[in-house]
Amino acid sequence: MTRLHILREAMKEQNVDGVLITSPINRRYLTAFTGTAGVAFITLDKAYFVTDFRYTAQAKEQINDFLIIEHKEPIPNVIANIVKENELSNVGFENKTISYEEHLAYQQKLETGFVPIGNMIEKIRLIKTEDEINILKEACKIADQTFEHILNYIKPGVKEIDIANELEFYMRKLGAVSSSFDIIVASGYRSALPHGVASEKEIQTGELVTMDFGALYQGYCSDITRTVAVGQISDELHSIYQTVLHAQKLGVDGIKPGLSAKNADALTRDYIDSCGYGQYFGHSTGHGLGLEVHEMPGLSFKSAEVLEPGMIVTVEPGIYVPEIGGCRIEDDILVTLDGNTRLTNSTKDLITIPVA
């Protein structure tokens, strides 16, 4: 079953006979187009891709099963003509990505219903195809190899930003287009910052260093976090690390189809809370992964979603104690028919970087 077929079934359920795709991510998902300009428009029996002269040749090369239209006038005018030609009555739009100005432009031109479709495309993206899984496996392999490489680079006196740059460089060397998000390198007191993007701070002996990074490979994102010790660390930091490690293993071991995302979150959260660190774990246990580094489903106590085979999620509990330090450990997990498979396989045992 093709992505267009699945989309058309969803369109029928939401009672729309046309859908306008303006999100660059969803546009790529449905068309395979990697350029930066254009919209897709899908009806119940036709598919159109509208772009300008810069990308017409690229679109014809990359996109199958779509009529390619090079627009000479504003895109809303082109879409309005398509709507008239196909005698459509109810057009859906991506309310999470279209701007207010764009919405007004389309609404003024379309003589039809113009209704939000919410997460229609994102829900389709939840279940990964075999091809997507294979790409994500390679993205995770790049992240694993990069972690192994960086262990020889970390030492007292090296700046966090230098570690981040080396991570980026090495992932690109292995075939990544770039990192899949702003790399986090947080050491010492800064490791208590869950999203401590790399700074000019120098690594010191006795600190934990948390590195959260991933590879953008063929459009798909990996996302791994590992925390290492530089020299001997305090008993408190050691306790934090071991608590997160055990919680993360509980989360990974418990991921399976049929498990609610809320209960997946509880696998790690309840253990951390039982160890007295509950107040220092403020984010969700994980999130979906694919063309975006944060996708559905969210492994959160607020989530009502249920895990299914083919979903790829992260498991990333953490503890962050202000002025002391923190730790996060994260793996990418493929939900399978009978459980799960880890896609990131770097060791999670505490690694101590020797110091002179």
Side-chain angles (χ1 to χ4, degrees):
M1 188 177 295
T2 68
R3 294 174 185 179
L4 283 180
H5 181 82
I6 296 171
L7 172 60
R8 285 171 173 142
E9 292 301 308
M11 290 168 61
K12 293 174 185 177
E13 291 179 7
Q14 292 201 25
N15 194 33
V16 293
D17 50 11
V19 167
L20 175 68
I21 306 299
T22 53
S23 157
I25 296 295
N26 289 338
R27 180 182 66 202
R28 177 168 182 165
Y29 179 76
L30 292 168
T31 68
F33 179 69
T34 60
T36 59
V39 302
F41 189 80
I42 296 96
T43 73
L44 294 175
D45 58 4
K46 297 177 182 177
Y48 304 85
F49 187 79
V50 184
T51 190
D52 62 49
F53 75 98
R54 297 171 299 167
Y55 293 104
T56 304
Q58 179 181 344
K60 290 179 179 179
E61 180 180 332
Q62 292 183 323
I63 303 175
N64 297 316
D65 302 322
F66 280 72
L67 174 64
I68 310 300
I69 299 175
E70 181 181 315
H71 70 90
K72 307 293 185 181
E73 55 183 329
I75 291 179
N77 294 14
V78 178
I79 299 300
N81 290 334
I82 294 172
V83 169
K84 286 182 180 180
E85 290 171 5
N86 288 274
E87 298 181 342
L88 304 181
S89 59
N90 215 24
V91 173
F93 68 91
E94 297 182 287
N95 48 293
K96 291 191 174 182
T97 58
I98 196 169
S99 71
Y100 180 66
E101 183 177 356
E102 289 171 330
H103 181 270
L104 286 178
Y106 282 105
Q107 200 168 41
Q108 289 170 359
K109 293 295 180 180
L110 297 179
E111 298 176 2
T112 181
F114 197 45
V115 298
I117 60 170
N119 291 321
M120 180 188 288
I121 314 297
E122 287 79 4
K123 288 179 180 178
I124 297 171
R125 285 166 46 195
L126 274 168
I127 308 301
K128 270 55 180 180
T129 65
E130 184 176 350
D131 286 343
E132 288 181 295
I133 291 169
N134 287 335
I135 293 172
L136 281 158
K137 285 181 177 178
E138 187 62 30
C140 290
K141 181 180 177 181
I142 291 172
D144 279 332
Q145 291 176 332
T146 301
F147 175 67
E148 183 178 355
H149 166 77
I150 206 66
L151 293 175
N152 297 316
Y153 190 86
I154 300 170
K155 60 183 178 181
V158 174
K159 294 179 180 179
E160 293 174 350
I161 189 64
D162 291 333
I163 294 173
N165 289 339
E166 184 66 18
L167 288 166
E168 171 94 21
F169 169 79
Y170 200 75
M171 287 190 291
R172 287 174 179 258
K173 186 176 181 180
L174 294 178
V177 172
S178 67
S179 57
S180 48
F181 53 92
D182 288 341
I183 294 173
I184 292 169
V185 179
S187 62
Y189 67 91
R190 293 192 75 254
S191 62
L193 301 175
H195 277 188
V197 174
S199 74
E200 293 288 332
K201 179 186 174 301
E202 294 183 354
I203 306 300
Q204 303 294 324
T205 300
E207 294 182 335
L208 288 176
V209 181
T210 295
M211 295 167 288
D212 187 347
F213 61 97
L216 179 60
Y217 177 76
Q218 294 187 13
Y220 287 80
C221 304
S222 58
D223 186 4
I224 185 174
T225 307
R226 291 294 186 267
T227 301
V228 301
V230 179
Q232 296 302 309
I233 57 175
S234 68
D235 290 344
E236 184 172 11
L237 290 177
H238 192 271
S239 175
I240 288 171
Y241 188 95
Q242 294 303 324
T243 301
V244 172
L245 176 61
H246 188 72
Q248 204 267 350
K249 288 181 176 179
L250 287 173
V252 171
D253 291 345
I255 293 292
K256 61 182 179 181
L259 181 71
S260 71
K262 180 177 181 179
N263 286 337
D265 178 74
L267 291 171
T268 67
R269 191 172 307 282
D270 289 353
Y271 178 75
I272 289 176
D273 188 54
S274 73
C275 294
Y277 289 108
Q279 65 178 312
Y280 302 116
F281 178 26
H283 57 73
S284 63
T285 288
H287 54 82
L289 196 64
L291 284 167
E292 295 178 282
V293 75
H294 289 98
E295 295 189 351
M296 298 168 61
L299 304 190
S300 162
F301 67 89
K302 300 178 182 178
S303 178
E305 294 164 305
V306 175
L307 299 182
E308 299 179 44
M311 291 181 176
I312 293 180
V313 299
T314 68
V315 178
E316 50 177 305
I319 294 173
Y320 315 94
V321 183
E323 300 182 9
I324 299 298
C327 165
R328 181 166 64 255
I329 301 172
E330 174 184 22
D331 282 313
D332 302 339
I333 305 296
L334 168 64
V335 183
T336 61
L337 289 172
D338 56 359
N340 73 76
T341 299
R342 276 178 61 194
L343 303 184
T344 45
N345 293 289
S346 297
T347 182
K348 292 179 284 193
D349 293 335
L350 179 60
I351 293 174
T352 300
I353 307 295
V355 296

